[in-house]
Amino acid sequence: MDRFVSNTINRVDKKGRVSIPASFRAVLGDQSKLHAILSVERPVIEAGGAEFLESNLQRLSQMDPLSEEYEMWSFCLVGDADELKIDTEGRIILSDQIREHTGITDQVAFVGRGHFFQLWEPAEFQAYRERARDAVRKMRRSLGAGNTQKVSDFPTGSARSDPSGSGEGQS
Amino acid sequence: MDRFVSNTINRVDKKGRVSIPASFRAVLGDQSKLHAILSVERPVIEAGGAEFLESNLQRLSQMDPLSEEYEMWSFCLVGDADELKIDTEGRIILSDQIREHTGITDQVAFVGRGHFFQLWEPAEFQAYRERARDAVRKMRRSLGAGNTQKVSDFPTGSARSDPSGSGEGQS
DNA sequence: TTGACGCCCATAAAATCCCATGATACTCCA
DNA sequence: TGGAGTATCATGGGATTTTATGGGCGTCAA
């Protein structure tokens, strides 16, 4: 297991602690801290271990250090980030900054995204999930409209599974 | 045998476990977990082993990582998925997410789809199967109307092929 | 001195392992 | 070729181990 996959909702205790899902801890290995940044697009936190931090720095290194672009990115990716210590039981304490940015109060949705994972306020996550599924459904259909080929290989809802193409009406 | 073929209905026990059909386990080899995604089109789960996961990631890798398109797809294929551990007896336990999405309660229809397979609530599966067969029949007819040639190559007998096709009596 | 934070222990619920059983399908031999 | 012996499989259930979560303490720093 080397990627963050799937999602789980965990509770935040009175001390402000939350358990990182066991499967995510497995990916992190023995690392004792998490690198977390505030998404500039959505009310979500994106986090990961050293590898995640590296990939961000990597991106910065490809920009001109004197550019405005670099200044902004670096500010967000490094300056406006958090280092969260992972305690003995595999829990972290969310900073005020994180809580304000996400709206998280007593529950956190951990969502695997491959080489990093996200922290959402459950309701926000649910809403976003629906938007995403909707968007994907539309993309598949527009693809399928003129070209069955491409779509045919896609599982997820396989447009091909129902040769008719009419087989919608899924209750 | 290296593809998932045919279908079977298995019981979900009190602990929420279901046996993966032996023939599917044979295809999975010694893998101990299943990658499962919620279809965006229908109340069905699509699952498979590492190969299945890879094919999805492969697809993602062809998109621009910064695009909205990529964001949506990766969210659904990775974040909104499940990793199901296969126990020593070749069983898995279905997540709440899966049960909600499919309507599965005490029985699961495993349907082979080649390089992946699906999990349906039996009644939904039955209904879908009939719609699909219906659709195919119509297509054949419309094809046959003006052109016998093409159709003639089709095995099609699907209509008569009771060997597996109408395998109703799900023994 | 008062918190915030790290570490340790406790515990209920959930996940996993291990062994048992009934039912089939399959083999092999008289 | 009939049929008993055997292997495979789906399924159950008890025992064990993980997990997530709660709470107690001591420490270090304002």
Side-chain angles (χ1 to χ4, degrees):
Chain A
M1 199 181 293
D2 57 338
R3 287 173 183 274
F4 301 104
V5 179
S6 186
N7 63 80
T8 327
I9 292 182
N10 283 343
R11 151 182 305 289
V12 178
D13 68 23
K14 296 165 194 164
K15 290 183 175 181
R17 299 173 299 187
V18 216
S19 289
I20 296 173
S23 66
F24 286 11
R25 294 202 304 260
V27 179
L28 290 169
D30 59 0
Q31 300 181 61
S32 62
K33 61 184 179 182
L34 228 51
H35 186 70
I37 60 180
L38 312 186
S39 158
V40 294
E41 303 280 351
R42 295 172 254 280
V44 63
I45 299 302
E46 305 201 312
E51 190 195 329
F52 177 60
L53 171 57
E54 288 309 318
S55 72
N56 286 329
L57 296 180
Q58 171 60 32
R59 178 142 63 190
L60 279 180
S61 73
Q62 299 173 332
M63 301 179 190
D64 171 1
L66 300 180
S67 67
E68 178 70 1
E69 172 192 39
Y70 178 88
E71 165 64 18
M72 298 289 106
W73 275 91
S74 135
F75 186 87
C76 293
L77 292 181
V78 185
D80 205 15
D82 268 316
E83 289 278 307
L84 307 177
K85 289 172 197 158
I86 302 178
D87 74 18
T88 350
E89 330 306 307
R91 289 180 283 197
I92 51 175
I93 293 186
L94 306 174
S95 64
D96 291 342
Q97 182 175 227
I98 289 180
R99 253 168 307 204
E100 282 161 25
H101 182 69
T102 59
I104 289 173
T105 57
D106 62 338
Q107 287 198 309
V108 182
F110 286 81
V111 184
R113 296 302 302 260
H115 62 295
F116 69 93
F117 60 88
Q118 305 176 311
L119 304 191
W120 290 85
E121 187 288 310
E124 289 287 343
F125 166 56
Q126 184 58 35
Y128 188 70
R129 183 213 310 239
E130 261 147 44
R131 255 184 291 149
R133 292 171 57 75
D134 240 53
V136 169
R137 193 177 309 124
K138 283 179 183 134
M139 287 191 274
R140 316 185 88 259
R141 291 189 175 159
S142 63
L143 266 180
N147 184 342
T148 357
Q149 261 290 270
K150 289 181 180 172
V151 185
S152 68
D153 290 339
F154 261 121
T156 287
S158 51
R160 139 172 59 76
S161 73
D162 97 349
S164 73
S166 66
E168 323 306 275
Q170 198 24 250
S171 55
Chain B
M1 194 184 296
D2 59 338
R3 292 286 156 195
F4 301 105
V5 180
S6 183
N7 63 81
T8 328
I9 292 181
N10 283 344
R11 271 186 78 67
V12 177
D13 67 25
K14 297 165 196 163
K15 290 184 177 178
R17 299 173 298 186
V18 215
S19 289
I20 296 173
S23 68
F24 287 11
R25 294 203 304 262
V27 179
L28 291 169
D30 60 358
Q31 300 183 64
S32 62
K33 63 183 179 183
L34 227 52
H35 184 72
I37 59 181
L38 314 188
S39 158
V40 295
E41 302 282 350
R42 289 172 264 282
V44 61
I45 300 301
E46 304 195 313
E51 190 194 331
F52 176 62
L53 171 58
E54 288 309 320
S55 73
N56 286 329
L57 296 180
Q58 170 60 34
R59 187 60 77 153
L60 282 179
S61 71
Q62 299 173 339
M63 302 179 192
D64 170 4
L66 298 179
S67 68
E68 185 70 0
E69 175 192 40
Y70 177 89
E71 163 68 16
M72 300 288 113
W73 276 98
S74 84
F75 188 90
C76 291
L77 294 178
V78 181
D80 202 15
D82 269 311
E83 292 275 299
L84 306 178
K85 288 172 196 158
I86 301 177
D87 72 19
T88 15
E89 329 291 318
R91 290 179 283 197
I92 51 176
I93 61 179
L94 306 174
S95 65
D96 292 341
Q97 182 173 236
I98 289 181
R99 254 167 289 155
E100 281 161 26
H101 182 70
T102 59
I104 290 174
T105 58
D106 62 339
Q107 287 198 310
V108 182
F110 286 81
V111 184
R113 296 299 302 255
H115 62 295
F116 68 94
F117 59 89
Q118 305 177 311
L119 304 191
W120 289 87
E121 188 288 311
E124 289 285 348
F125 169 55
Q126 185 58 35
Y128 187 70
R129 158 156 54 182
E130 264 148 41
R131 276 212 306 283
R133 289 163 61 76
D134 234 52
V136 171
R137 190 177 314 125
K138 281 176 191 150
M139 293 199 302
R140 302 192 80 264
R141 288 183 181 157
S142 66
L143 268 180
N147 185 340
T148 0
Q149 262 289 267
K150 289 181 180 173
V151 185
S152 63
D153 291 338
F154 272 101
T156 252
S158 63
R160 82 171 118 102
S161 80
D162 269 289
S164 59
S166 68
E168 340 295 51
Q170 198 46 295
S171 64

